[in-house]
Amino acid sequence: MTKISNSFVAMFDFLGFKQLRKKEGTLGLHDTYRRSLKPLIEHSAAMKRETIERGGKPVTVPVFDENSINYRIVSDSIILFTKDDSFDEFFKIITASHNLLCSGFGTSHPLRGAIGYGDFINDNDSIWLGSAIEDAYIGESSQMWSGCSLTKDCEKFVSERGYIDQYLNHCNFLISSSEKHPEHVRKNLVKASKRIVRYPIPEQHQDKDAPTEYMYRPGYALDWTLNVFDGASEKSFLPTTSTHAGRIRENTIEFERWARSKDNLKPGEKETMDLLVKYTDKETLPVELEKLNKEDSATEILQGLGRDFKNLREKYNKLGLSTENIDELIIKMISGNAIGRGESIDTYLENLVLKAIGDR
């Protein structure tokens, strides 16, 4: 009897696949898969390895067991899927997806992926069906970067189940229980606890016969910078004259800048960046902020805004305006209300605060 279950499905595509196939040919690309890409995929899915001797030399090989993730390779697509929708399986697919995403930067074959959720059938006749596959496919193909995010359906499910908090708690438990382990094990566990981050996901959407619309969706993404060399986003893409591919590259670079700077921000800056990501509508974050200053990147503007925000809090708290009121003003600003008057950020914020005080 065919069994249907609710599962997590992650779908990844190699970016620049057509360009690579043109360069290497189908046979050459198959050889690249066999020699380098397939082993990376297997290591990511197995999540366990051992060292054996082969030809008189030590070789690390993947070990598949009940804790491994299932996978399939179809042309330029890699599909990972779980047995069910339990927390243990969620933890596994986050781990496997993060490992796979990181490996793409290490080989100059950047990947784009999404973790979807829904019903899923994987029978003995190799027939795959289900809303989880559709969800992961739509989520993956709509993104404009090399990265991996949770789809809306996946985020809704794991948020309702409390899996995001449970993930962090589980990692912290492992860290606290690893005192007798080697230092590198503890460091890897600390990194694992930081894999899931809140970030405005760059996306593209196109209705029939309509121009492509670029936007940002606040959501959960995997922070690949934890396990990849600095500057990987700039070095992992093949040269291109395509505006579309260039946008993907720039969005990936922007994420790396943000991810590597987020732990070094001052308290006021970090608070503001977290706030912006939490409350921003899908179309506003870098797009609207960059309208205010064409010479600065979105990250630089956000960091500047963080400093202004901290100063304004201190200044206007003394006048009786609560922190919550100031937060609300910032949220209104980044939601696109009355943006575009050409004012500097600090002037714009100051006017908003003065108006709020006057309206009290």
Side-chain angles (χ1 to χ4, degrees), residues 23-232:
K23 179 184 176 184
E24 298 188 4
T26 301
L27 281 174
L29 189 56
H30 176 266
D31 190 51
T32 299
Y33 263 62
R34 184 178 57 81
R35 286 186 297 102
S36 59
L37 299 180
K38 188 170 183 285
L40 291 174
I41 297 166
E42 288 179 337
H43 277 287
S44 299
M47 294 187 288
K48 188 177 179 182
R49 63 191 66 183
E50 66 180 9
T51 302
I52 63 172
E53 189 172 299
R54 186 178 292 167
K57 295 181 179 180
V59 178
T60 303
V61 296
V63 177
F64 286 88
D65 57 22
E66 67 278 1
N67 293 316
S68 301
I69 284 283
N70 298 300
Y71 79 94
R72 295 289 186 276
I73 304 172
V74 183
S75 187
D76 64 334
S77 296
I78 305 158
I79 305 170
L80 310 175
F81 54 96
T82 63
K83 300 170 188 173
D84 54 47
D85 60 4
S86 64
F87 171 74
D88 285 347
E89 294 297 296
F90 174 69
F91 190 91
K92 290 178 190 177
I93 203 161
I94 290 293
T95 302
S97 297
H98 187 265
N99 290 343
L100 182 59
L101 182 62
C102 292
S103 70
F105 287 100
T107 59
S108 295
H109 298 297
L111 291 159
R112 179 179 62 201
I115 302 173
Y117 174 77
D119 57 30
F120 180 61
I121 294 175
N122 172 37
D123 68 13
N124 293 330
D125 295 321
S126 297
I127 297 175
W128 293 6
L129 291 172
S131 60
I133 298 176
E134 297 168 13
D135 188 43
Y137 170 75
I138 294 171
E140 180 276 317
S141 59
S142 66
Q143 293 172 98
M144 287 293 294
W145 66 352
S146 176
C148 179
S149 67
L150 275 60
T151 65
K152 289 180 181 178
D153 286 351
C154 183
E155 180 177 334
K156 182 175 184 292
F157 174 78
V158 300
S159 296
E160 289 173 350
R161 291 292 184 95
Y163 282 1
I164 300 296
D165 290 336
Q166 197 173 340
Y167 177 90
L168 183 59
N169 292 336
H170 183 63
C171 287
N172 288 336
F173 170 76
L174 293 176
I175 293 168
S176 64
S177 305
S178 65
E179 292 180 358
K180 296 181 180 179
H181 288 77
E183 183 62 22
H184 75 275
V185 173
R186 287 180 57 81
K187 285 183 177 179
N188 286 336
L189 288 172
V190 171
K191 286 182 180 179
S193 71
K194 299 178 180 181
R195 282 177 183 151
I196 304 174
V197 295
R198 195 78 178 158
Y199 189 79
I201 316 298
E203 293 185 338
Q204 61 171 346
H205 295 278
Q206 185 175 22
D207 294 327
K208 187 177 180 181
D209 300 325
T212 301
E213 186 179 3
Y214 298 102
M215 55 189 60
Y216 294 82
R217 173 180 65 84
Y220 289 111
L222 302 186
D223 185 358
W224 53 265
T225 67
L226 296 166
N227 295 84
V228 177
F229 61 91
D230 197 350

Side-chain angles (χ1 to χ4, degrees), residues 316-348:
Y316 292 108
N317 274 339
K318 294 177 183 178
L319 297 177
L321 191 64
S322 70
T323 297
E324 289 73 21
N325 290 144
I326 299 176
D327 289 357
E328 186 179 348
L329 293 171
I330 301 295
I331 294 164
K332 286 181 179 178
M333 189 203 78
I334 63 166
S335 296
N337 296 335
I339 287 183
R341 295 190 235 171
E343 298 169 318
S344 66
I345 291 174
D346 50 353
T347 301
Y348 185 80

Side-chain angles (χ1 to χ4, degrees), residues 244-311:
H244 181 83
R247 189 187 288 264
I248 289 174
R249 179 179 181 273
E250 289 306 312
N251 286 336
T252 308
I253 291 172
E254 190 67 46
F255 175 80
E256 181 174 9
R257 287 174 182 161
W258 173 82
R260 296 199 188 281
S261 67
K262 69 180 187 298
D263 291 333
N264 298 319
L265 296 174
K266 297 175 183 177
E269 295 172 351
K270 186 176 189 309
E271 252 177 18
T272 306
M273 289 186 66
D274 289 345
L275 211 88
L276 293 173
V277 172
K278 182 177 180 181
Y279 289 101
T280 301
D281 289 332
K282 61 185 177 182
E283 301 176 357
T284 56
L285 183 57
V287 177
E288 295 297 344
L289 288 172
E290 286 182 357
K291 284 180 182 178
L292 297 175
N293 190 337
K294 293 288 186 181
E295 296 179 0
D296 290 341
S297 70
T299 299
E300 290 167 339
I301 292 173
L302 287 174
Q303 291 174 355
L305 178 55
R307 287 186 288 273
D308 293 335
F309 189 23
K310 182 172 181 290
N311 293 337

